[in-house]
Amino acid sequence: MSAVNPSLETVRDGASADAPRAAEAGLAWWADAIIYQIYPRSFADANGDGIGDLPGITSRLPYLKRLGVDALWLSPFYKSPQADAGYDVADYRVVDPLFGTLEDFDRLLHEAHGLGIKVIVDLVPNHTSDEHAWFRAALQSPPGSAERARYLFRDGRGENGELPPNNWQSVFGGAAWSRAPGDRHWYLHLFDGKQPDLNWDNPQVRAEFEDVLRFWLDRGVDGFRVDVAHGLVKDSELPDAEQRKENRVLVGPMWDQDGVHEIYRAWHRILDQYPGERMMVAEAWVTPQERLTHYIRSDEMQQAFNFDYLLLENWDAGTFKSVIDASLSLAAEVSATTTWVTSNHDVVRAPSRYGLSRPGAHPKGIDAAGEQPNEALGLRRARALALLTLALPGSAYIYQGEELGLPEHTTLEARYRQDPMFIRTHGADIGRDGCRVPLPWRADAPSLGFGPGDRSWLPQPATYAHYTVDRQEGVAGSTLELYRQMLRLRREHALGKGQLRWVDTDRDLLVFDNGDVRVLINFGTQTRALPAGGQILLSSEPLKEPSKLPGNTAAWLTGSCPSSS
Ligand code: NOJ
């Protein structure tokens, strides 16, 4: 340690003191965890049918271990007609044969645990599939029956009930109501017509989901990602409401009603009855961000996805700094830790978003007719963004393929598209298929090694051959090796458990310390000076001169950094 530089002493002392404090405070595993999202149908296909499966995931666990993740989140693999890629569940306790069997799941869980990797599964409580036994029974039962009371059936408006009960629109486009075949009732679906919304005022619904939680907890899962956590309870009057977005988030009487919290408090109590630290993470699209903290109060969920960070529309230092500050302070107010997310299966992949003239320009997907991202610029920014994100205190989510720098498939032809959003809007909203394309593992193999043959449920673009795991493995400077190093150093320097201290910021540059690591990210195009005396741990691009940080580049330093650069 340099005795010449007192400011470094302060930083280092802070860091060495932080780690034991965190341990003493008994931080739970998820507080600083790296959680890797697996979209099962697109991760790895063991049986060659063109759709990824559970044995495929199990076969790749050593890869994930080597990457250095702490936990996996598996998107739905339950019995489903796949109208919304499995977010339409027909049986919550059964594995869809597309993905394997319950034994395959148990094996995956067992092997992941053997490698020290936790597993959280997706819970879809807002709606079932229309092929769920309950909905089938509801359609076969008359209006007013107990079977219908588990869903939101209502009489239509108009002289003969020919109009929907209110003017709500589906998130995927079109009316949020469909007519029950052959009678006067309509049923609510905030998403696709094949995803009828459950009635959370019905005690049977509550009891059923508590039982589903126990079913998976008994098998040993470490937690749940809760789908549409802000949607379960609607304003009981179901009043008319225009579709409205605030801060890029849909608001209205069907979203973020206070009644949802009682449900999560009940679930929290169930999780508490199990050994180990089981957790829940909320998928809650709410605004302002203060509202998100309600979901992570100490008796509710443990985490919520940080969509304010995910949805940032400007590539500039100030925008990032203000969301980082707000996220950290709001989470601290409820004694929670924050999460960081830059990609998932619902949004355009980060390297493509940040390669657009404006990152938020195409929230509903990109096709060949739209602006094509600048691939090199987008990748460069995404790598810099990763160095920023993974240096922040808290927990971070990585979406499969992010570690390869994988771009969106932006020229996928309409005939392949399966997203209900695309189908319901007749292509006006391009949808999310472009971020769900099967992963490329081997450059010289059919389906780029996704499966044993050439089948792949969505075609992979030719450019994916440049991003395969085998082309990046062991290659200095590849995105995969950059992620491996980042995750290793993040752990070694306890960044997830640390504290952020801003050192310097301006329009283009963010500089902060976390423990003994100084982090710099240059959002601009002008080269900036790196602090003299610092030792470069990692940079998002090779640095031609060790004292200079080029544009759209980030670096982690340690050693004798002055207190301000
Ligand atoms: C959020 C999921 O992430 C998305 O993929 C799905 O379409 C909707 N919820 C409906 O379940």
Side-chain angles (χ1 to χ4, degrees):
M1 192 179 294
S2 158
V4 215
N5 193 320
S7 65
L8 179 69
E9 301 291 327
T10 320
V11 170
R12 288 206 152 195
D13 288 343
S16 52
D18 277 351
R21 256 209 312 275
E24 275 162 30
L27 272 192
W29 68 266
W30 39 262
D32 65 338
I34 295 289
I35 304 182
Y36 185 94
Q37 181 191 356
I38 292 191
Y39 196 63
R41 56 170 40 236
S42 300
F43 186 69
D45 174 19
N47 68 3
D49 65 356
I51 298 184
D53 44 42
L54 300 180
I57 299 171
T58 307
S59 74
R60 300 292 183 179
L61 288 174
Y63 166 82
L64 296 167
K65 178 71 188 167
R66 171 117 196 258
L67 179 60
V69 304
D70 300 300
L72 309 178
W73 148 33
L74 304 183
S75 280
F77 48 81
Y78 317 109
K79 189 163 189 299
S80 161
Q82 304 291 317
D84 184 19
Y87 281 97
D88 49 320
V89 181
D91 192 328
Y92 291 85
R93 299 175 185 81
V94 171
V95 172
D96 196 284
L98 269 182
F99 302 114
T101 62
L102 209 44
E103 289 68 44
D104 291 330
F105 176 78
D106 289 342
R107 197 168 313 121
L108 192 172
L109 186 63
H110 180 75
E111 292 200 16
H113 282 171
L115 292 169
I117 298 176
K118 312 257 186 204
V119 177
I120 67 177
V121 297
D122 223 303
L123 186 76
V124 188
N126 179 67
H127 44 265
T128 68
S129 161
D130 66 338
E131 297 184 29
H132 189 283
W134 274 7
F135 194 73
R136 289 196 161 145
L139 288 187
Q140 281 156 17
S141 307
S145 60
E147 285 79 3
R148 289 214 172 175
R150 296 173 183 139
Y151 292 89
L152 292 161
F153 281 89
R154 293 287 184 279
D155 285 327
R157 295 200 283 203
E159 231 166 83
N160 303 306
E162 72 281 10
L163 298 172
N166 69 22
N167 68 352
W168 293 6
Q169 294 290 297
S170 153
V171 174
F172 293 157
W177 296 91
S178 289
R179 192 115 198 217
D183 66 57
R184 61 183 169 85
H185 259 171
W186 296 70
Y187 66 90
L188 178 71
H189 53 86
L190 291 178
F191 295 90
D192 191 62
K194 286 183 69 64
Q195 294 167 295
D197 278 53
L198 286 159
N199 171 15
W200 275 87
D201 285 336
N202 185 318
Q204 282 181 33
V205 171
R206 295 193 181 221
E208 169 66 1
F209 275 87
E210 293 185 2
D211 197 62
V212 169
L213 283 178
R214 289 198 179 91
F215 177 85
W216 292 102
L217 288 166
D218 286 342
R219 302 202 93 77
V221 304
D222 300 286
F224 301 90
R225 176 264 189 190
V226 180
D227 190 62
V228 199
H230 57 311
L232 276 50
V233 173
K234 285 84 179 165
D235 180 327
S236 56
E237 303 292 316
L238 304 183
D240 275 340
E242 294 308 326
Q243 187 93 303
R244 203 158 50 84
K245 274 197 173 178
E246 272 173 27
N247 301 325
R248 305 175 294 279
V249 164
L250 284 170
V251 295
M254 63 298 273
W255 305 120
D256 195 24
Q257 302 293 298
D258 289 336
V260 293
H261 297 289
E262 184 188 316
I263 300 170
Y264 305 135
R265 282 194 282 272
W267 291 1
H268 184 105
R269 290 193 291 273
I270 293 176
L271 265 63
D272 263 358
Q273 291 160 9
Y274 284 80
E277 295 162 321
R278 317 285 175 117
M279 57 84 82
M280 295 177 281
V281 52
E283 189 227 12
W285 298 87
V286 301
T287 191
Q289 210 185 6
E290 283 82 352
R291 297 286 304 178
L292 193 63
T293 60
H294 296 182
Y295 292 77
I296 48 171
R297 288 178 287 205
S298 60
D299 57 350
E300 296 197 30
M301 301 207 206
Q302 287 69 19
Q303 291 188 337
F305 293 118
N306 188 342
F307 291 137
D308 280 38
Y309 191 72
L310 174 78
L311 296 177
L312 285 177
E313 293 197 331
N314 297 319
W315 180 251
D316 71 64
T319 309
F320 274 84
K321 179 174 185 298
S322 60
V323 168
I324 291 168
D325 279 338
S327 307
L328 290 171
S329 67
L330 287 170
E333 272 174 29
V334 286
S335 304
T337 51
T338 191
T339 65
W340 308 104
V341 190
T342 60
S343 286
N344 67 29
H345 65 294
D346 289 330
V347 299
V348 173
R349 282 184 177 272
S352 301
R353 262 189 356 255
Y354 288 106
L356 291 169
S357 47
R358 196 171 56 81
H362 297 286
K364 298 204 165 163
I366 302 176
D367 67 5
E371 178 193 354
Q372 293 301 298
N374 176 330
E375 195 170 328
L377 174 68
L379 179 59
R380 187 178 177 109
R381 287 177 167 176
R383 289 164 55 111
L385 176 62
L387 258 77
L388 166 64
T389 307
L390 295 174
L392 294 169
S395 164
Y397 281 78
I398 295 178
Y399 176 46
Q400 64 180 37
E402 187 178 320
E403 78 281 15
L404 303 175
L406 211 60
E408 184 90 354
H409 189 342
T410 55
T411 56
L412 187 65
E413 289 171 51
R415 66 191 159 116
Y416 295 115
R417 293 196 178 267
Q418 299 190 18
D419 187 348
M421 183 185 279
F422 177 85
I423 296 165
R424 287 179 66 87
T425 63
H426 309 286
D429 292 346
I430 293 152
R432 305 161 292 176
D433 294 300
C435 64
R436 299 173 174 180
V437 173
L439 286 198
W441 295 88
R442 281 183 45 202
D444 65 349
S447 71
L448 297 174
F450 167 60
D454 58 3
R455 296 172 71 183
S456 150
W457 72 278
L458 287 174
Q460 299 153 307
T463 60
Y464 272 29
H466 305 303
Y467 293 89
T468 56
V469 172
D470 70 340
R471 283 228 168 142
Q472 299 199 38
E473 198 134 52
V475 176
S478 71
T479 306
L480 176 58
E481 293 301 338
L482 181 72
Y483 266 79
R484 284 177 174 169
Q485 276 179 291
M486 270 190 290
L487 296 193
R488 181 175 56 76
L489 289 168
R490 184 180 190 276
R491 191 185 302 263
E492 281 173 19
H493 292 266
L495 300 181
K497 294 189 173 84
Q499 274 172 4
L500 178 150
R501 286 175 291 254
W502 294 111
V503 174
D504 211 355
T505 64
D506 61 38
R507 221 179 123 256
D508 288 334
L509 192 72
L510 288 185
V511 185
F512 64 87
D513 287 334
N514 182 352
D516 64 348
V517 176
R518 174 153 302 173
V519 180
L520 295 97
I521 170 165
N522 182 358
F523 289 85
T525 51
Q526 304 295 314
T527 295
R528 304 292 295 260
L530 283 170
Q535 178 203 332
I536 295 164
L537 283 175
L538 196 61
S539 58
S540 60
E541 300 296 327
L543 301 180
K544 288 195 193 106
E545 292 177 66
S547 59
K548 292 192 172 145
L549 186 68
N552 293 312
T553 303
W556 291 1
L557 274 67
T558 191
S560 313
C561 302
S563 60
S564 166
S565 66

